[in-house]
Amino acid sequence: DALLGCHRSYRSRPTHGIGKFKYLLPKEVPKKRKEKVQMKEISAGTEYQYGDINIQMTSYDLCLVEHFAQYVHRLCNRLSIQVNESYAMPTKTNEVLFLEERGSKMQLDAVLTTHQRVVQIRGLSSTFAPILLETIQSNQPEGVHLLMKQHTEADFKSRLKSRPELEELLAEMS
Amino acid sequence: AESMTPGSVSPHALCYFSSCSSWLPQRVPLRGSHWQSSLLELRTSLPVRAQPKKKKKVDVKKEQAQKERMKKKLKKLEKAAPELIPIEDFITPLKYSDSNRVRSLPALSPEESERRVLLLKKWCLFKQKQDEAEKKAIKALVECQQEALKELRLESEELYQAAIQRDEGLFPFERDGPSYSPPLPGYDPPEGKCLDITKVYTQ
């Protein structure tokens, strides 16, 4: 009985691995775990190269700033400048009130939303930097404010949600 | 008039009983002066019906327990990864996705579609010329720069090295976009203020 129930096939025999079928099934993609938002290392750059630089474009008009950011990204790709990240900063909403001519009451004029896009580049050479700046400036659309600065940890932290409970506890502990 | 304080009931009773039954002489504490209301000495009190205060041990234990609780809370909060603030630009508001109404566009005449296609082609050509001009300009700039640096190197090595160094004063660089019209002379803006009503997200 035990001899009949045995399914062993020896490695040298041609019947080895006869019952296998998993290799025929399509490969299962491993479950994507939520990636922790971690700060990437900020490079300082050498004497002849700049480190991480943020090109921040701000405007009230969403379409303009979005298209300009896409243009800058493609330009950097074309000029083989390494682009680390290309992200959007949270939008800011402002209520503009103006004082009426006759009266002391503030009247609501408009609700403006400020949008900001950031393209982060690395390894910009010192000789090519002015050329890139010149190209970006000549294509700058109206109403879009351009700002280029070094990337810092504070810039990264401004993208994260604030945790008042954690800060309170830390203040209490120390 | 005798003052009856709750603490001093029993010695009075004792005093009374002792005066009645004289065969048990007992020592009775006398009051020092008429301001001293209780028969007990200063700063003493009879043991009240409660546990005597264990001052040192319980406090330290409580503090330690509290500290541990706080540390545990901190660990739990620190374990949770920080989240990015959601960007409102990329979230379509629900009111635009609920309704099913569809816009019906009018049919285009063949001349109109022909005109549009030709316009599109002209625009493509224009954009291509623009892009090529830009590429050519960048190439020319780079070439001129390289040539100039080469000549500089031949002239003096020191100046060449200084030219290659990165410019620290370049960043941060700020520039406002060009405006549609120059600023109007003598424009008096109305008084007002700006309120920041951005939604604050907390984790």
Side-chain angles (χ1 to χ4, degrees), chain B residues 93-188:
Chain B
L94 286 170
K95 64 174 184 177
Y96 297 130
S97 52
D98 274 346
S99 60
N100 293 324
R101 59 179 204 174
V102 179
R103 191 197 289 186
S104 59
L105 297 164
L108 290 170
S109 62
E111 292 93 13
E112 182 63 33
S113 53
E114 187 80 23
R115 190 186 78 92
R116 284 192 189 185
V117 165
L118 285 170
L119 190 66
L120 197 71
K121 282 183 170 273
K122 277 192 211 169
W123 176 250
C124 284
L125 194 70
F126 168 76
K127 272 302 205 183
Q128 190 192 32
K129 290 267 162 67
Q130 201 184 47
D131 195 39
E132 263 176 43
E134 195 184 274
K135 283 187 189 164
K136 212 170 137 183
I138 292 176
K139 217 173 166 183
L141 275 170
V142 168
E143 269 176 20
C144 291
Q145 202 182 44
Q146 291 301 319
E147 221 183 282
L149 283 170
K150 233 194 276 183
E151 292 295 318
L152 185 65
R153 197 163 201 182
L154 290 171
E155 277 288 324
S156 83
E157 190 67 34
E158 275 178 19
L159 286 175
Y160 173 76
Q161 290 298 327
I164 292 279
Q165 295 289 320
R166 73 186 220 187
D167 187 7
E168 299 298 334
L170 189 58
F171 301 113
F173 174 77
E174 234 181 296
R175 188 185 179 243
D176 275 328
S179 51
Y180 196 64
S181 64
L184 296 169
Y187 173 65
D188 186 26

Side-chain angles (χ1 to χ4, degrees), chain A:
Chain A
D1 211 355
L3 287 167
L4 285 170
C6 165
H7 297 288
R8 281 184 63 197
S9 48
Y10 289 84
R11 286 181 219 167
S12 51
R13 293 289 169 94
T15 50
H16 176 65
I18 195 160
K20 283 188 191 173
F21 63 92
K22 214 167 184 188
Y23 67 98
L24 293 169
L25 294 170
K27 279 206 171 160
E28 250 183 44
V29 176
K31 254 192 183 177
K32 198 183 173 187
R33 276 193 190 169
K34 246 193 177 181
E35 283 169 16
K36 278 194 178 178
V37 176
Q38 260 180 351
M39 196 181 75
K40 293 184 190 173
E41 280 175 30
I42 304 174
S43 76
T46 62
E47 288 172 344
Y48 311 117
Q49 273 187 358
Y50 296 94
D52 283 337
I53 290 177
N54 276 359
I55 307 175
Q56 294 174 341
M57 294 151 276
T58 329
S59 173
Y60 294 121
D61 189 354
L62 177 67
C63 302
L64 266 184
V65 79
E66 185 80 41
H67 287 201
F68 189 48
Q70 283 177 9
Y71 165 75
V72 165
H73 198 319
R74 284 193 180 187
L75 187 74
C76 292
N77 282 352
R78 207 179 349 136
L79 300 168
S80 41
I81 300 169
Q82 187 196 350
V83 173
N84 280 351
E85 280 185 296
S86 170
Y87 54 85
M89 294 289 278
T91 37
K92 295 182 189 166
T93 327
N94 279 322
E95 243 181 28
V96 181
L97 307 154
F98 73 93
L99 193 66
E100 278 184 60
E101 280 175 37
R102 283 179 198 177
S104 53
K105 201 175 141 187
M106 287 284 199
Q107 205 193 51
L108 180 68
D109 194 19
V111 178
L112 293 172
T113 48
T114 311
H115 309 267
Q116 192 177 54
R117 299 282 181 273
V118 178
V119 176
Q120 202 182 91
I121 51 176
R122 183 184 282 197
L124 182 67
S125 68
S126 50
T127 49
F128 193 69
I131 298 175
L132 182 73
L133 243 72
E134 197 59 47
T135 320
I136 293 177
Q137 272 180 74
S138 60
N139 286 301
Q140 201 176 350
E142 65 181 351
V144 174
H145 181 88
L146 178 74
L147 167 66
M148 286 177 83
K149 60 191 271 282
Q150 305 259 3
H151 183 61
T152 53
E153 206 177 313
D155 288 327
F156 178 75
K157 294 245 161 98
S158 65
R159 287 174 77 191
L160 301 171
K161 285 188 190 168
S162 67
R163 299 158 112 183
E165 303 144 347
L166 190 71
E167 281 165 31
E168 261 177 39
L169 269 175
L170 279 168
E172 264 185 74
M173 290 284 279
S174 58

